[in-house]
Amino acid sequence: MALIPASLRTRLVVGVFSFFAMWGFALSITRYSIPEEMEEGSFVANLATDLGLDIRSLEERKAKLDVIHSKNYLDINKDTGELVIREKIDRESICMTKTTSCFLKMDVILSSPVRIFNIELEIMDINDNAPVFRRKTMHLDISEATLPGERFSLTNAVDADVGANSIKTYYLSESKYFNIDIQTGSDGSKYVDLVLSGNLDREEHAVHDLILTAVDGGVPPRSGTASIIINVLDINDNAPIFSQPVYAVNVSENSAAGTVVMTLNATDLDEGTNAQLVYSHTLYTSEKTQELFSLDPNSGEIKVKGVIDYEESQSFEMHIQAQDRGTNPLSGHCKVTVFVTDLNDNYPEVTIKSLKSSLTEDVSVGTLIAVVSVSDRDSGANGEVELSLNRQETLPFRLSKSSEGYFEMLVSKPLDREVISKYDIILRVTDKGVPPLSENETITLEILDINDNAPTFSQSFYTIHVMENNPPGALLTSLSAFDPDLNENQYLVYFIMEKEIVNTSMSMLFSINPENGDLYALKTFDYERERDFLFHIEARDSGVPPLSTNCTVHIIILDQNDNTPLIVSPWRAQGSVVEEVIPRSTDKGHLVAKVIAIDADSEQNARVTYQLLQISDSTLFSLDQYNGEIRTTRMFSYRDPRQQRLVIVAKDNGQPSLSATVTIKISTVEHAMAFSETTELPLDYDMFTDLNLYLVIGLGAVSFLLLITILVIIVLKCQKPKPKAIKIPPANRNSVISRNSVISQRSSTIADSTLISSDAYWYSLFLAETRKGKVVVRQPIIPKGAGYFVSSIPRSIGPSETTDSRASTLEQGPRRELP
């Protein structure tokens, strides 16, 4: 191949055209033109400058060159940003067809972010190929009867170059009998016919040797030659004639082999063997055309022989001659042009250029997921394509056309992993042919979790009933919350929200397993001291930042029959017998004594009834089972013993019931002088006066302290801030109100019937009687620390702080704490 002249190199121009822009990256088409056969390492263009890129970004963003449907003849110098020749380019090996333009298409791809630049490199032809005849020697037989002007087809020369470098003209060596006629085909190629210019005389000149020269239009021009040997034959003076010189016919692509395209019809006026015609392709018919179509030499029928593809060639030309069988055969010529009709026989193609396989669920709307390119090799409506997403479900994605054949897939709606964690996105590309053809491509997109869901309890308010005297460490219940997030975002930790009750932290009373929410009691509860607890439990996940929620827990302590009734009247020493003295003249129904017992339990466990366990004479005394009054049922007779013994049992209504007994010894006397349980203390007047003085001072001091206490309580109640209302679910509100109603009713009943505080008892014990300067004082022995209180104030519906909030209408000291 000849070197490129310097004058030609100076005329080469590099053109750059920018077409389209895409979101997130720019897509453009840049065109360059270079001559073929440039040396390796030759400079083509400065990509960094032309594409507006920093030279350093070529290396940092991993620039690479992707050549489409061809060998990679070029390379990018990342140090200089130049596009250089990697290997010599032969235009004729790249572009097989005789087209004036020849392009190499390639993409320059950058990452982080992704950018794609389309490059089209036009390979310009140089005159590096000389014309070549397919047949170096051509033999022609011409009858001497041939008239001047007769034309003979010659084998034309071919030149691999195109444009101005292709064949420009033909020259024939000097002859007085022949000249040539040059014709131009539809594709611009030159054909030459040998024309008889004079009458032939075989006897004078039987053989004519001519030289045919083909010259191209290059600078400098190149040429090729062929030898023409003409034999002059004897007369066969009528040549075959076709009905028309040019035929045009249509055939569909993919037509089956054997399909008849057309039948040629030529006539010869001669007779006999000179009129018998043989059809054949001339040398002007390409070998590829002859491979696709067959010609019957006898009938002139043209049939499909190979596979016709519109995308490879849209038309074919066949140059056909009809030659007679005369001694000196004559021939007629015609041209048949076959136009191929396109069918929708190519499926559209979809290609994923750039894809994100996973996204976090908090990505913003408009985030780029993938770049998709579509194409179809068909033409017209058959080559027009549409891209769509699968329509079976509504997807939070959309397609946006960025340029011709390119689409962006973007996020169109907010994503929620808890609703859908993975998407199988089907891209469907369909052409507009009849019938339409389509192709699918599936993209799998995984949605990654973020901590966007707080834990939730199954209910916001829990009511837990706990029987008193529970063992420490007993499991009360299991509180579980649910978090729909994943991994560490759903790992929950449970806490008791700290709250102090009379300087006692909730964490000292209850414990919760931080992993599974099991709630435990850390101490043994006593219903007589603590009735209920109200606190909050928090569930917190392990996300960043963590999310939490809480629920309200209401612990209600249930009473257990764990307190034995205590007989407070009549008082007696431990294990001693109470003695009562009554006159024998007592009437029927006389009140002998009254047994009073109290029970620290509540409700049925505190309901005390009285029964006679043992009695000396059942006909003499009766016992009221509810108020404990012992009365005579008849008058004493002289036969009745002077001493009667009664064993009274006080029993509560619990399950199982608990009881206490008292033994009363009743002695009868003729006159009511004194009582066995009393002690007569003859006192002087001065001593009696001192005792009364002490009693008055004591009662006054107690009354004064009681008044001061009441005033202080009133002041504190007026100044105490109103407690915040705690919302209780309707399901629990009725139970709480009902429970407090029962407590209030029970307290009132106890205060009004069987329960008497020690203050009232002490008051009754210290009554004094004067009898002729003497005082009789009842001096019972009271057990140490036997202090009790009775509550008749209904509890508040809202959460109580501690059991110390209970008020007592009757209180005396010292107080005995119930076990």
Side-chain angles (χ1 to χ4, degrees):
M1 297 185 181
L3 297 176
I4 302 173
S7 58
L8 178 58
R9 292 185 179 181
T10 59
R11 291 198 300 267
L12 297 178
V13 179
V14 177
V16 179
F17 302 90
S18 299
F19 282 97
F20 305 101
M22 297 178 65
W23 292 9
F25 63 88
L27 178 63
S28 61
I29 298 178
T30 305
R31 290 180 177 170
Y32 300 100
S33 298
I34 63 170
E36 63 177 329
E37 301 297 332
M38 290 182 67
E39 295 295 329
E40 295 180 7
S42 299
F43 170 84
V44 176
N46 193 315
L47 279 181
T49 302
D50 295 341
L51 300 180
L53 299 173
D54 187 5
I55 294 177
R56 292 175 299 177
S57 67
L58 296 177
E59 181 68 31
E60 295 173 354
R61 298 176 64 182
K62 302 178 181 178
K64 66 177 182 178
L65 196 63
D66 186 11
V67 179
I68 302 174
H69 305 306
S70 180
K71 183 179 179 182
N72 192 359
Y73 293 95
L74 302 172
D75 203 353
I76 299 175
N77 189 330
K78 296 181 181 178
D79 296 329
T80 62
E82 295 177 350
L83 185 65
V84 296
I85 299 296
R86 181 179 181 180
E87 183 178 342
K88 280 188 178 183
I89 302 174
D90 185 8
R91 183 185 184 280
E92 287 72 26
S93 63
I94 295 175
C95 300
M96 301 294 186
T97 59
K98 299 281 287 183
T99 57
T100 57
S101 60
C102 181
F103 290 92
L104 272 179
K105 295 183 179 181
M106 61 198 77
D107 291 337
V108 176
I109 302 175
L110 303 178
S111 60
S112 301
V114 175
R115 297 189 68 183
I116 301 175
F117 298 91
N118 293 120
I119 306 295
E120 288 187 357
L121 182 64
E122 182 181 10
I123 310 301
M124 299 178 63
D125 184 50
I126 63 173
N127 193 21
D128 57 341
N129 293 283
V132 176
F133 286 90
R134 286 182 286 179
R135 294 172 61 181
K136 290 295 185 181
T137 301
M138 291 176 280
H139 295 272
L140 295 177
D141 295 329
I142 303 175
S143 173
E144 62 179 349
T146 303
L147 298 177
E150 184 66 27
R151 307 171 70 89
F152 303 93
S153 298
L154 299 178
T155 300
N156 63 310
V158 294
D159 194 334
D161 297 324
V162 296
N165 297 324
S166 63
I167 296 176
K168 182 178 181 181
T169 187
Y170 290 88
Y171 297 100
L172 186 64
S173 59
E174 185 177 357
S175 173
K176 65 179 181 178
Y177 297 102
F178 298 94
N179 55 35
I180 57 175
D181 183 19
I182 301 173
Q183 298 181 12
T184 303
S186 59
D187 58 352
S189 59
K190 301 292 185 179
Y191 303 102
V192 60
D193 288 341
L194 183 65
V195 181
L196 181 63
S197 59
N199 294 318
L200 294 178
D201 187 359
R202 179 184 179 280
E203 288 73 22
E204 182 179 350
H205 203 165
V207 176
H208 298 269
D209 292 330
L210 303 176
I211 301 297
L212 181 63
T213 302
V215 181
D216 62 24
V219 180
R222 292 175 176 270
S223 62
T225 60
S227 174
I228 302 174
I229 299 176
I230 301 173
N231 295 316
V232 180
L233 302 178
D234 203 10
I235 290 178
N236 178 19
D237 56 346
N238 289 291
I241 300 174
F242 287 92
S243 59
Q244 59 188 71
V246 178
Y247 296 89
V249 65
N250 295 322
V251 64
S252 298
E253 67 170 328
N254 301 324
S255 294
T259 301
V260 178
V261 179
M262 69 172 299
T263 301
L264 297 173
N265 185 20
T267 59
D268 194 331
L269 299 178
D270 293 331
E271 293 181 350
T273 58
N274 293 330
Q276 296 176 2
L277 302 181
V278 177
Y279 296 92
S280 63
H281 291 286
T282 69
L283 297 176
Y284 299 148
T285 304
S286 66
E287 295 178 359
K288 183 175 182 180
T289 302
Q290 296 182 42
E291 292 175 356
L292 297 177
F293 299 92
S294 64
L295 175 63
D296 192 310
N298 298 317
S299 64
E301 188 178 68
I302 301 175
K303 295 182 180 180
V304 175
K305 184 171 66 173
V307 178
I308 303 173
D309 189 356
Y310 176 87
E311 286 68 41
E312 291 186 4
S313 182
Q314 291 78 41
S315 63
F316 299 91
E317 284 188 357
M318 289 180 282
H319 297 268
I320 298 175
Q321 70 174 5
Q323 190 175 48
D324 59 26
R325 296 180 181 273
T327 305
N328 299 313
L330 300 177
S331 61
H333 299 80
C334 73
K335 183 172 72 172
V336 178
T337 302
V338 179
F339 296 97
V340 180
T341 303
D342 184 34
L343 296 179
N344 192 23
D345 60 337
N346 288 283
Y347 282 85
E349 298 177 356
V350 57
T351 305
I352 309 299
K353 292 289 186 180
S354 175
L355 172 65
K356 293 180 180 178
S357 59
S358 61
L359 291 175
T360 58
E361 58 180 323
D362 62 339
V363 295
S364 59
V365 173
T367 299
L368 177 66
I369 300 173
V371 177
V372 183
S373 66
V374 295
S375 61
D376 194 317
R377 294 182 60 198
D378 292 323
S379 63
N382 297 329
E384 297 179 7
V385 296
E386 292 181 348
L387 182 64
S388 62
L389 298 176
N390 48 328
R391 300 174 183 174
Q392 288 78 7
E393 55 181 323
T394 302
L395 297 176
F397 311 108
R398 64 181 178 89
L399 293 171
S400 176
K401 187 173 183 179
S402 57
S403 63
E404 189 63 32
Y406 284 86
F407 293 84
E408 292 178 335
M409 189 168 70
L410 309 172
V411 177
S412 62
K413 297 179 183 178
L415 304 178
D416 190 350
R417 189 208 63 81
E418 287 69 38
V419 177
I420 301 179
S421 60
K422 185 175 72 172
Y423 291 92
D424 290 326
I425 306 169
I426 300 176
L427 296 172
R428 184 179 183 86
V429 58
T430 307
D431 61 25
K432 296 183 179 180
V434 179
L437 301 178
S438 62
E439 190 68 41
N440 295 337
E441 181 73 22
T442 301
I443 296 175
T444 299
L445 181 63
E446 182 180 0
I447 307 302
L448 303 180
D449 183 52
I450 63 169
N451 193 24
D452 59 341
N453 290 280
T456 56
F457 285 94
S458 58
Q459 56 192 79
S460 60
F461 192 94
Y462 292 86
T463 300
I464 304 171
H465 296 86
V466 180
M467 186 67 68
E468 67 171 329
N469 300 319
N470 60 289
L475 175 65
L476 303 183
T477 187
S478 181
L479 304 173
S480 61
F482 173 72
D483 194 319
D485 292 322
L486 286 180
N487 301 329
E488 66 274 3
N489 296 330
Q490 70 170 175
Y491 297 151
L492 302 183
V493 181
Y494 298 90
F495 304 93
I496 295 179
M497 300 179 69
E498 286 298 333
K499 179 181 178 181
E500 289 191 357
I501 299 179
V502 190
N503 298 326
T504 301
S505 173
M506 276 295 169
S507 60
M508 298 178 63
L509 302 177
F510 302 96
S511 172
I512 190 168
N513 189 320
E515 295 181 356
N516 58 22
D518 289 347
L519 184 63
Y520 299 92
L522 296 181
K523 60 168 288 186
T524 300
F525 296 110
D526 188 354
Y527 175 83
E528 287 69 43
R529 298 184 60 187
E530 303 123 346
R531 299 295 174 88
D532 64 353
F533 301 93
L534 192 69
F535 55 93
H536 300 284
I537 289 180
E538 177 181 310
R540 183 185 305 165
D541 62 30
S542 302
V544 179
L547 301 178
S548 63
T549 188
N550 61 72
C551 67
T552 302
V553 177
H554 187 198
I555 305 292
I556 299 176
I557 309 300
L558 301 179
D559 183 41
Q560 192 177 46
N561 192 22
D562 59 342
N563 290 282
T564 302
L566 179 64
I567 298 175
V568 298
S569 176
W571 286 105
R572 84 284 186 196
Q574 185 70 27
S576 64
V577 177
V578 177
E579 293 186 358
E580 293 286 346
V581 178
I582 61 174
R584 293 184 66 84
S585 60
T586 301
D587 294 332
K588 175 183 178 181
H590 176 73
L591 177 63
V592 178
K594 183 174 183 177
V595 179
I596 300 176
I598 62 173
D599 195 316
D601 293 321
S602 64
E603 298 183 3
Q604 294 296 322
N605 296 329
R607 184 179 177 183
V608 180
T609 58
Y610 305 90
Q611 295 178 3
L612 284 169
L613 188 62
Q614 294 179 10
I615 183 170
S616 301
D617 189 349
S618 60
T619 64
L620 190 57
F621 301 100
S622 66
L623 173 65
D624 191 308
Q625 65 174 341
Y626 297 110
N627 57 23
E629 292 180 349
I630 303 173
R631 294 182 181 273
T632 58
T633 57
R634 62 179 174 83
M635 295 184 65
F636 287 92
S637 67
Y638 68 93
R639 294 179 180 178
D640 293 326
R642 289 185 176 274
Q643 292 185 345
Q644 299 287 335
R645 184 174 181 273
L646 284 75
V647 178
I648 311 299
V649 60
K651 182 165 55 176
D652 60 27
N653 202 32
Q655 292 296 331
S657 63
L658 302 177
S659 62
T661 60
V662 60
T663 301
I664 301 176
K665 181 179 180 183
I666 301 175
S667 300
T668 59
V669 294
E670 294 297 332
H671 301 284
M673 297 297 294
F675 298 93
S676 63
E677 82 269 18
T678 62
T679 305
E680 291 188 355
L681 298 175
L683 299 175
D684 294 338
Y685 179 77
D686 294 337
M687 185 177 181
F688 171 75
T689 304
D690 292 339
L691 179 59
N692 282 325
L693 179 61
Y694 295 152
L695 290 175
V696 170
I697 293 174
L699 291 174
V702 170
S703 300
F704 177 78
L705 291 176
L706 180 62
L707 179 62
I708 294 300
T709 303
I710 293 174
L711 291 176
V712 171
I713 291 175
I714 292 173
V715 172
L716 292 178
K717 287 291 184 180
C718 293
Q719 293 181 351
K720 185 176 181 180
K722 185 178 181 181
K724 295 183 180 179
I726 296 180
K727 296 182 180 179
I728 301 178
N732 298 323
R733 186 179 298 120
N734 294 334
S735 64
V736 174
I737 294 175
S738 176
R739 177 179 62 80
N740 284 283
S741 299
V742 173
I743 294 174
S744 176
Q745 183 178 358
R746 175 186 59 79
S747 300
S748 299
T749 303
I750 295 173
D752 293 341
S753 61
T754 61
L755 301 182
I756 297 178
S757 71
S758 56
D759 284 335
Y761 181 69
W762 275 97
Y763 181 77
S764 65
L765 291 181
F766 283 105
L767 292 177
E769 294 183 8
T770 61
R771 183 181 298 175
K772 295 180 182 182
K774 294 182 179 180
V775 176
V776 178
V777 181
R778 295 184 179 182
Q779 296 177 330
I781 299 174
I782 301 175
K784 183 179 180 181
Y788 295 87
F789 63 88
V790 177
S791 174
S792 62
I793 299 177
R795 296 172 63 86
S796 171
I797 293 177
S800 62
E801 291 295 324
T802 68
T803 55
D804 286 348
S805 64
R806 297 183 303 218
S808 175
T809 57
L810 298 175
E811 189 175 55
Q812 65 93 35
R815 173 180 293 180
R816 181 176 69 87
E817 297 293 341
L818 296 179

